[in-house]
Amino acid sequence: MSETIAIIATCDTKGEEALYLKQRIESYNMKGLVVDSGILGEPVFVEPDVTKDELAGYSGFTIKELVEAGSRGAAVEKMRDCIHAYVKKLYEAGKIQGLIAIGGAEGSVIARAAMDALPLGVPKIAVSTIASGKHLFSDLIGYNDATVMHSVIDILGINSISRTVFNNAVGAIVGMAKVKPEASDKKIKSIGISMLGTTTKPIMGVIKPELEKRGYEVLTFHANGTGGDCMDTLAGEGFFAGVLDFSTNELVANNLGGLHVAKPGRMEAALEMGVPTVVAPGAANILVLSSEEALLSKYDGRRKYYHNPNITLINTTVEELKIIAATFAEKLNKATGKIRFLYPVQGFCSQDKEGLTLWNPDGNPVFLAELKKNLRQDIPIIEVDAHINDDEFANVAFEQLLEVMGVAM
Amino acid sequence: MSETIAIIATCDTKGEEALYLKQRIESYNMKGLVVDSGILGEPVFVEPDVTKDELAGYSGFTIKELVEAGSRGAAVEKMRDCIHAYVKKLYEAGKIQGLIAIGGAEGSVIARAAMDALPLGVPKIAVSTIASGKHLFSDLIGYNDATVMHSVIDILGINSISRTVFNNAVGAIVGMAKVKPEASDKKIKSIGISMLGTTTKPIMGVIKPELEKRGYEVLTFHANGTGGDCMDTLAGEGFFAGVLDFSTNELVANNLGGLHVAKPGRMEAALEMGVPTVVAPGAANILVLSSEEALLSKYDGRRKYYHNPNITLINTTVEELKIIAATFAEKLNKATGKIRFLYPVQGFCSQDKEGLTLWNPDGNPVFLAELKKNLRQDIPIIEVDAHINDDEFANVAFEQLLEVMGVAM
């Protein structure tokens, strides 16, 4: 069977370009499946393989409902959800093996939703007018291996620039679609671990080598507001044999702000999928702020640690720790598989240690009490009388991970 | 001859990955040419085809000078210039037909410099850890058709994620390198025109159709701080038979701030290349500000036009217009080919018109006087007693463009 590439475009304004892409893809003996993500107008130049009515209908809408959503933004948001669901369905049914999306500002919303729907390794590329200047990568790329090409000019027909750009974009998606997985791909069992600078020592010094000795591949994710979400995305795709969510400052940021804000659903994918998971509160009792934000008067009187010229770490209050603990409980309570929570009695991160700036001997027990109050009774909390960066704690983390994975030491 | 793809990586830390990419590229019967952009350490795993010493030496440096540049940032900046010059040389000498770059935060500086060095249509892709979240596209993509793939995890060896990502990235670059230009590619003569919403009417209504009637292809660039630079980049590659730099608000922003700030060298590429060029001051007497910025007290008492919820247009003062005119003169004086400056007596943009908010009958003549004072005597200024959006002005612009291109009406 030859590969099929979905072509995502608003065919009312970009039908000519969609047709061109289809012809180019088919010149490589692959199939181009045109999906019309337009809302207002009828397709021009091209006959979509998936009409906007079918797209909306699959998510339980009519195009009329989208048009009447109240604003252009609201309509595009609904279409975003429709395209995500439909592309996911197409891929899971084996109908497409990759996608190419084209568009401008609103097209980027659609392109990202489409690319978000395809797992790691499935080819995905967007050609976009906004892939330049001060636009953010998050406008087009989420937490997977999405690819973006700058269109150079507005997408307004086929001319000597757009033809060159589209020809290369088709070359890229076709080249990716032809990649044959190597024999070694994904035979090994992988463990996902969330890591931050402040929790690197136990992971790289003890946990990673111990797991590797037993034949596991350890993949660490820099949990700075993107890495955690990338790990979650892969967990949701069934990529991991086990997850050690060791560095969980993103849950603090989601509640209280700072540099590491992640998706609201952070941590939940592995738990909901039933992936064996061990969770620790690494750096989950500090605020990680930009140097400027750390100067705000609301942080006056707090203890501050100058991490580097850009980043200041600040301690959390007892009230804040209650909120953070409740968030942990809320997420852990969604678990469908075997999990453990590990509590490091002597501190949550390198600066939260007796004698150091962010030591929090009053706050941490409040965190623990609040967690116990809210956590499902069947979820074990293991209190370890050590600091999170001590070998003793790392060994417990490693052993408990094997335990939840059902592997003998 | 089989294609050669340059592989740009810091081989002291990412030698294993560079070797992997080389092997994958060579599995497609292309050649991988490893260029070591590392500064501090010696290459590991791989023997670079271009050493860091050769790279630095080509730009007249030694690696020792880079190491001693004063700071890590200063060293990377020097290496950025070295890689740009070397990649340009490799391409122009026919030694490479595309490139793949890998890296993180500092790697992105190198990747962008490398991709910036290749003209439109020459395959270029970066695999980057920072292609996500709040990072800016400008960290990796300049003004051409650069392509970026998100690495998902830190680039720390070959594992089941990075292998998948790299395999697809190689598939993409190989697929692009195999693209054969279509027969129709670039036989037509192209005209580049800078456009903004406020100057759309004369361009789309008169100038574009008139040029198309005579067999030209018209490519418009949205001159909002990126489009103008994209047009300049292509002009510098010899892409255009002529340039109509009609909408030049970017020169205002470069001097006085606002949303449309472009590269300092804006407008100069076509002029220095000797491309036949006609310049008009479209929207060159207004500030285009964000709604928030427009509220700053320094703009109190100015005339303001609420363009949309995000953008406010504000008139310029006589003193500001002198600065803007001097900038036009400075750039136009660099011209090596035939050029004209067109002056629309009745206003520079849709709101600069008798009876409308931003009409500037006192300021515009000061702009003209200052321009005359500073402009080379051999550069004609053509005063047209019309508004910039009038058909009369558009016709003069079109006729003068044919004139400088040496084409009979």
Side-chain angles (χ1 to χ4, degrees):
Chain A
M1 189 196 70
S2 87
E3 291 84 354
T4 299
I5 306 297
I7 299 159
I8 319 284
T10 53
C11 294
D12 50 349
T13 60
K14 295 179 175 53
E16 184 184 0
E17 295 86 342
L19 177 63
Y20 184 78
L21 291 170
K22 186 181 171 90
Q23 290 166 342
R24 291 296 302 163
I25 288 170
E26 297 189 343
S27 78
Y28 290 92
N29 296 316
M30 293 192 182
K31 188 165 176 264
L33 184 96
V34 175
V35 179
D36 182 6
S37 62
I39 297 173
L40 286 177
E42 291 308 307
V44 292
F45 290 94
V46 73
E47 187 83 39
D49 298 291
V50 178
T51 64
K52 58 192 164 74
D53 298 292
E54 189 176 341
L55 205 52
Y58 179 70
S59 289
F61 295 108
T62 63
I63 282 291
K64 191 160 173 289
E65 286 172 307
L66 264 62
V67 172
E68 293 167 356
S71 71
R72 189 163 150 157
V76 171
E77 267 185 45
K78 278 209 167 66
M79 181 51 91
R80 177 192 62 194
D81 298 341
C82 295
I83 200 90
H84 187 271
Y86 203 90
V87 166
K88 197 165 189 297
K89 179 194 90 148
L90 284 173
Y91 174 72
E92 288 173 355
K95 298 276 177 63
I96 60 171
Q97 284 72 45
L99 75 80
I100 182 166
I102 57 171
E106 277 145 21
S108 72
V109 175
I110 302 297
R112 172 158 173 192
M115 294 199 291
D116 278 351
L118 296 183
L120 181 80
V122 182
K124 45 188 93 74
I125 190 168
V127 179
S128 175
T129 57
I130 68 156
S132 68
K134 292 179 184 168
H135 295 284
L136 303 181
F137 272 103
S138 59
D139 290 347
L140 278 158
I141 294 182
Y143 307 102
N144 62 19
D145 54 341
T147 305
V148 170
M149 182 182 285
H150 182 214
S151 68
V152 184
I153 48 166
D154 286 340
I155 297 174
L156 287 170
I158 301 301
N159 54 50
S160 59
I161 296 176
S162 64
R163 186 182 297 118
T164 301
V165 170
F166 287 148
N167 284 355
N168 271 348
V170 168
I173 194 76
V174 164
M176 287 193 269
K178 282 182 179 167
V179 170
K180 296 283 167 283
E182 287 182 282
S184 60
D185 267 19
K186 213 45 206 166
K187 272 190 191 159
I188 197 166
K189 287 189 177 179
S190 304
I191 306 292
I193 303 184
S194 53
M195 189 162 84
L196 281 169
T198 183
T199 57
T200 297
K201 183 178 162 282
I203 295 168
M204 299 310 273
V206 176
I207 299 169
K208 185 168 187 277
E210 286 295 334
L211 286 166
E212 286 173 348
K213 262 191 242 165
R214 283 157 185 83
Y216 291 96
E217 170 186 74
V218 174
L219 299 165
T220 56
F221 294 82
H222 194 58
N224 61 354
T226 299
D229 288 329
C230 287
M231 184 174 82
D232 288 352
T233 301
L234 287 163
E237 292 166 12
F239 198 88
F240 298 120
V243 165
L244 176 57
D245 217 339
F246 197 86
S247 311
T248 41
N249 182 265
E250 287 162 329
L251 301 195
V252 180
N254 283 2
N255 274 300
L256 305 169
L259 294 172
H260 294 169
V261 175
K263 287 205 288 193
R266 175 71 184 85
M267 182 182 287
E268 295 170 15
L271 299 172
E272 290 178 348
M273 280 280 288
V275 180
T277 298
V278 172
V279 175
N285 63 349
I286 58 170
L287 300 172
V288 181
L289 304 179
S290 69
S291 313
E292 296 77 29
E293 202 181 350
L295 297 173
L296 295 179
S297 61
K298 65 176 171 176
Y299 299 119
D300 286 354
R302 301 249 193 151
R303 281 171 286 128
K304 299 180 183 182
Y305 177 75
Y306 299 95
H307 181 67
N308 70 32
N310 303 318
I311 297 179
T312 299
L313 312 179
I314 294 190
N315 73 310
T316 44
T317 64
V318 165
E319 282 314 306
E320 287 169 348
L321 280 166
K322 281 188 188 173
I323 296 170
I324 298 164
T327 298
F328 271 89
E330 188 193 328
K331 289 174 184 287
L332 294 168
N333 287 345
K334 295 184 180 179
T336 62
K338 288 188 84 173
I339 67 167
R340 299 279 186 279
F341 184 88
L342 308 188
Y343 179 79
V345 173
Q346 298 177 27
F348 291 11
C349 64
S350 46
Q351 281 295 315
D352 172 28
K353 194 170 178 177
E354 187 165 5
L356 298 184
T357 312
L358 300 177
W359 195 41
N360 204 339
D362 301 327
N364 295 355
V366 174
F367 173 96
L368 181 62
E370 190 73 13
L371 181 68
K372 284 181 176 169
K373 201 177 93 185
N374 290 285
L375 197 66
R376 256 169 39 201
Q377 290 305 313
D378 62 305
I379 298 176
I381 298 177
I382 298 172
E383 300 176 41
V384 185
D385 190 11
H387 183 266
I388 195 160
N389 285 350
D390 288 345
D391 286 358
E392 187 184 339
F393 188 81
N395 279 318
V396 173
F398 153 67
E399 289 160 17
Q400 289 299 322
L401 186 62
L402 291 188
E403 171 79 21
V404 291
M405 292 194 296
V407 179
M409 280 290 290
Chain B
M1 189 197 71
S2 88
E3 292 84 354
T4 299
I5 306 298
I7 299 160
I8 319 284
T10 53
C11 294
D12 50 349
T13 60
K14 295 178 175 54
E16 185 184 1
E17 295 85 341
L19 177 63
Y20 184 78
L21 291 171
K22 186 181 171 90
Q23 291 166 341
R24 291 297 301 163
I25 288 169
E26 297 189 343
S27 78
Y28 290 93
N29 296 316
M30 292 192 183
K31 188 165 176 264
L33 184 97
V34 175
V35 179
D36 182 5
S37 63
I39 297 173
L40 286 177
E42 291 308 307
V44 293
F45 289 94
V46 73
E47 187 83 38
D49 298 291
V50 177
T51 64
K52 57 192 164 76
D53 298 292
E54 189 176 342
L55 205 52
Y58 179 71
S59 290
F61 296 108
T62 63
I63 282 291
K64 191 161 173 288
E65 286 172 307
L66 264 62
V67 171
E68 292 166 356
S71 71
R72 189 163 150 155
V76 171
E77 268 184 44
K78 277 209 168 65
M79 181 50 92
R80 177 193 63 193
D81 298 341
C82 295
I83 199 91
H84 187 272
Y86 203 90
V87 166
K88 196 164 189 298
K89 179 194 89 147
L90 284 173
Y91 174 72
E92 288 173 355
K95 298 277 176 64
I96 60 171
Q97 284 72 45
L99 75 79
I100 182 166
I102 58 171
E106 278 146 21
S108 72
V109 175
I110 302 297
R112 172 157 173 192
M115 294 199 291
D116 278 351
L118 296 183
L120 181 80
V122 182
K124 44 188 94 72
I125 190 168
V127 179
S128 175
T129 57
I130 68 156
S132 68
K134 292 178 186 170
H135 294 285
L136 304 181
F137 272 103
S138 59
D139 290 347
L140 278 158
I141 295 183
Y143 307 102
N144 62 18
D145 54 340
T147 305
V148 170
M149 182 182 285
H150 182 214
S151 69
V152 184
I153 49 167
D154 286 339
I155 298 174
L156 287 170
I158 302 301
N159 54 50
S160 59
I161 295 176
S162 63
R163 186 182 297 118
T164 300
V165 170
F166 287 148
N167 284 355
N168 271 347
V170 168
I173 194 76
V174 165
M176 287 193 268
K178 282 183 180 167
V179 170
K180 295 284 167 281
E182 286 182 281
S184 60
D185 268 19
K186 213 44 208 164
K187 273 190 192 158
I188 198 166
K189 287 189 176 179
S190 304
I191 306 293
I193 303 184
S194 54
M195 189 163 83
L196 281 170
T198 183
T199 57
T200 297
K201 183 178 161 285
I203 295 168
M204 300 309 273
V206 176
I207 299 169
K208 185 169 188 276
E210 286 295 333
L211 285 166
E212 286 174 347
K213 261 190 242 166
R214 282 157 185 83
Y216 291 96
E217 170 185 74
V218 174
L219 300 166
T220 56
F221 294 82
H222 195 57
N224 61 354
T226 299
D229 288 329
C230 287
M231 185 174 82
D232 288 352
T233 301
L234 287 162
E237 292 166 12
F239 199 88
F240 299 120
V243 165
L244 176 57
D245 217 339
F246 197 86
S247 311
T248 42
N249 182 264
E250 287 161 329
L251 301 195
V252 180
N254 283 2
N255 274 300
L256 305 168
L259 295 172
H260 294 168
V261 175
K263 287 205 288 194
R266 175 70 183 86
M267 183 183 287
E268 295 169 16
L271 299 173
E272 290 178 348
M273 279 280 288
V275 179
T277 298
V278 172
V279 174
N285 63 350
I286 58 170
L287 300 172
V288 181
L289 304 178
S290 69
S291 314
E292 296 77 28
E293 203 181 349
L295 297 173
L296 295 178
S297 60
K298 66 175 170 176
Y299 299 119
D300 286 354
R302 300 248 193 153
R303 282 171 286 128
K304 299 181 183 181
Y305 177 75
Y306 299 95
H307 180 68
N308 70 32
N310 302 319
I311 297 179
T312 299
L313 312 179
I314 295 190
N315 73 309
T316 44
T317 65
V318 165
E319 282 314 305
E320 287 169 347
L321 280 166
K322 282 188 188 173
I323 296 169
I324 298 163
T327 298
F328 271 88
E330 188 193 328
K331 288 173 185 287
L332 294 169
N333 287 345
K334 295 185 180 178
T336 62
K338 288 188 84 174
I339 67 166
R340 299 279 186 278
F341 184 87
L342 307 188
Y343 179 80
V345 174
Q346 298 178 26
F348 291 10
C349 64
S350 46
Q351 281 295 315
D352 172 27
K353 195 171 178 177
E354 187 165 6
L356 299 184
T357 312
L358 301 177
W359 195 41
N360 204 339
D362 302 327
N364 295 356
V366 173
F367 173 96
L368 180 62
E370 190 73 13
L371 182 68
K372 284 181 177 170
K373 199 176 96 186
N374 290 284
L375 197 65
R376 257 171 38 202
Q377 290 304 314
D378 62 305
I379 298 176
I381 298 177
I382 298 172
E383 299 176 41
V384 185
D385 190 11
H387 183 266
I388 195 160
N389 284 351
D390 288 346
D391 285 358
E392 188 184 339
F393 188 82
N395 278 318
V396 174
F398 153 67
E399 289 160 17
Q400 289 298 322
L401 185 62
L402 291 188
E403 171 79 20
V404 291
M405 291 194 297
V407 179
M409 280 290 290

